[in-house]
Amino acid sequence: MTAKIFIDGEHGTTGLQIRARLAERRDIEVISIPAEKRKDPAARAEFLNAADIAILCLPDDAARESVSLIENDTTRVIDASTAHRVAEGWVYGFAEMDKAQSAAIRNAKRVANPGCWPQGSIAFLRPLIGAGLLPADLPVTVNGISGYSGGGRTMIEDYEAKGVDAPSFMPYGLTLNHKHLPELQTYAKLAGVPLMQPAVGNFAQGMLTALPLQLGHLDRVPPGAELHTALADHYGAIESGVVKVAPLASIERTADIDPEIHNDTNTMTLHVFANDARAQALLVAVYDNLGKGASGAAVQNMDLMLEGL
Ligand SMILES: NC(=O)C1=CN([C@@H]2O[C@H](COP(=O)(O)OP(=O)(O)OC[C@H]3O[C@@H](n4cnc5c(N)ncnc54)[C@H](OP(=O)(O)O)[C@@H]3O)[C@@H](O)[C@H]2O)C=CC1
Ligand SMILES: CC(=O)N[C@@H](CCC(=O)OP(=O)(O)O)C(=O)O
């Protein structure tokens, strides 16, 4: 049987990227809604119920509506929106975050694709808290920069209209209440809400997430080499090979910390920097907001779910 895949929202930023990634695939059939019917609930219901896997690339409310339109027991869902990421009954679609997660995704009926920002932070915090090297109550701050495609069609049109006149660096999330905080806290297994302060740059695609850590108040301060080894051990044991740990380096600067370096791939590279004498560390994840941050992760999750069909 050839699995039928329906991308609800296939004409948006994430949907188009998924379509492009699936274009050459012969093992699946992408069923496609006519563009003029893409917001017609009755037509969407027909496609949603005909699909083996529906991938929702929609605003949150429309994603909730799509789920409510599914009347059968067979359509499995990957939701790229924020709507279901901490909802009961949904599996978080970050396959590498622990050893059991890819099996959970493989067998899930409902998978919530992660937000782009939390993935970089969870990639560090979950294994390091799990290994007991960082405490769950560590006061975490997150900063970073994303290409403007992270803001979807509206932000893309805005930046492309302004061109070189668009701001080269625009901090946002200034109410300190970014929509990704619940999933970040939940899946990193943090006791408190992190302080997250992202930025958009005047480039289309790619991102980096940075966690500067002050560790001097801990009873035992983990040296940078221990943080690095724990991450290398964790990701070395994960089959997908998507998340890589860069060699521990003591350098002033490196061209590898480039938000665009992994564009059009699913790769995420984790960098650990440390000043042990000061009990400080800096963790930096580099990845593509449209790759591992969105569409690439959705296709990775779809492939896992196809194995479970
Ligand atoms: N861009 C990114 O890097 C990431 C995005 N996401 C998430 O993926 C989802 C899609 O985002 P993105 O692709 O960027 O957004 P876009 O705005 O680029 O695309 C959204 C698509 O959904 C369509 N749409 C809007 N309302 C409805 C509706 N009621 N019924 C059917 N279709 C509708 C839009 O049509 P129209 O344009 O005509 O309104 C558009 O084609 C969002 O939830 C976003 O949070 C997740 C991770 C990263
Ligand atoms: C640059 C930019 O605006 N990025 C988006 C997040 C992109 C993403 O991860 O998408 P979700 O909307 O699915 O969570 C933001 O910070 O809101």
Side-chain angles (χ1 to χ4, degrees):
M1 180 199 88
T2 307
K4 289 189 172 61
I5 311 294
F6 173 51
I7 306 165
D8 201 356
E10 69 171 70
H11 305 286
T13 312
T14 310
L16 283 170
Q17 286 266 334
I18 293 173
R19 280 230 68 162
R21 282 173 160 80
L22 299 184
E24 304 299 320
R25 297 273 297 255
R26 296 290 165 262
D27 57 323
I28 52 169
E29 180 193 350
V30 177
I31 54 173
S32 195
I33 195 166
E36 68 279 7
K37 296 216 163 149
R38 72 186 187 284
K39 291 189 183 175
D40 172 350
R44 279 165 57 216
E46 213 176 289
F47 279 83
L48 285 162
N49 284 290
D52 294 297
I53 300 178
I55 309 180
L56 313 181
C57 301
L58 300 162
D60 290 7
D61 285 345
R64 285 189 198 95
E65 183 184 48
S66 295
V67 175
S68 75
L69 292 171
I70 297 172
E71 286 168 341
N72 66 52
D73 199 25
T74 50
T75 301
R76 300 165 77 195
V77 178
I78 301 168
D79 182 6
S81 85
T82 320
H84 299 105
R85 292 182 187 152
V86 291
E88 205 168 312
W90 288 72
V91 170
Y92 196 59
F94 186 5
E96 293 78 12
M97 75 179 187
D98 65 38
K99 288 196 185 93
Q101 202 62 16
S102 60
I105 295 167
R106 192 175 287 119
N107 299 315
K109 280 236 179 274
R110 300 283 181 265
V111 172
N113 219 50
C116 54
W117 292 112
Q119 285 200 81
S121 303
I122 295 166
F124 286 113
L125 294 170
R126 188 165 172 120
L128 294 176
I129 293 172
L133 291 172
L134 298 178
D137 63 359
L138 188 73
V140 167
T141 66
V142 180
N143 64 77
I145 188 161
S146 165
Y148 54 74
S149 59
R153 185 175 59 78
T154 318
M155 189 176 279
I156 295 170
E157 285 172 3
D158 185 41
Y159 267 75
E160 294 187 347
K162 290 186 179 130
V164 292
D165 294 328
S168 52
F169 179 83
M170 186 184 70
Y172 69 105
L174 303 178
T175 56
L176 308 186
N177 193 26
H178 193 280
K179 65 178 179 175
H180 288 167
L181 287 168
E183 60 182 292
L184 166 48
Q185 181 181 1
T186 301
Y187 299 106
K189 298 198 171 174
L190 283 168
V193 183
L195 189 162
M196 181 180 153
Q197 198 279 292
V200 185
N202 194 3
F203 56 96
Q205 191 179 337
M207 68 186 293
L208 63 80
T209 303
L211 292 87
L213 304 181
Q214 294 276 14
L215 302 172
H217 65 290
L218 301 184
D219 291 340
R220 181 181 176 278
V221 179
E226 267 187 42
L227 300 175
H228 181 267
T229 300
L231 292 166
D233 287 351
H234 175 84
Y235 290 104
I238 301 275
E239 216 178 299
S240 75
V242 163
V243 183
K244 301 177 190 312
V245 181
L248 186 64
S250 180
I251 40 173
E252 187 57 26
R253 64 192 76 201
T254 164
D256 292 341
I257 308 292
D258 171 350
E260 299 179 277
I261 209 164
H262 290 318
N263 280 6
D264 298 319
T265 76
N266 247 17
T267 304
M268 173 187 282
T269 302
L270 305 182
H271 297 265
V272 177
F273 305 97
N275 184 324
D276 291 336
R278 297 223 174 99
Q280 294 173 332
L282 173 67
L283 311 175
V284 185
V286 184
Y287 47 112
D288 180 5
N289 63 298
L290 297 179
K292 188 60 175 163
S295 312
V299 173
Q300 187 185 353
N301 290 332
M302 182 199 79
D303 283 332
L304 284 167
M305 290 164 82
L306 288 172
E307 289 171 20
L309 269 183

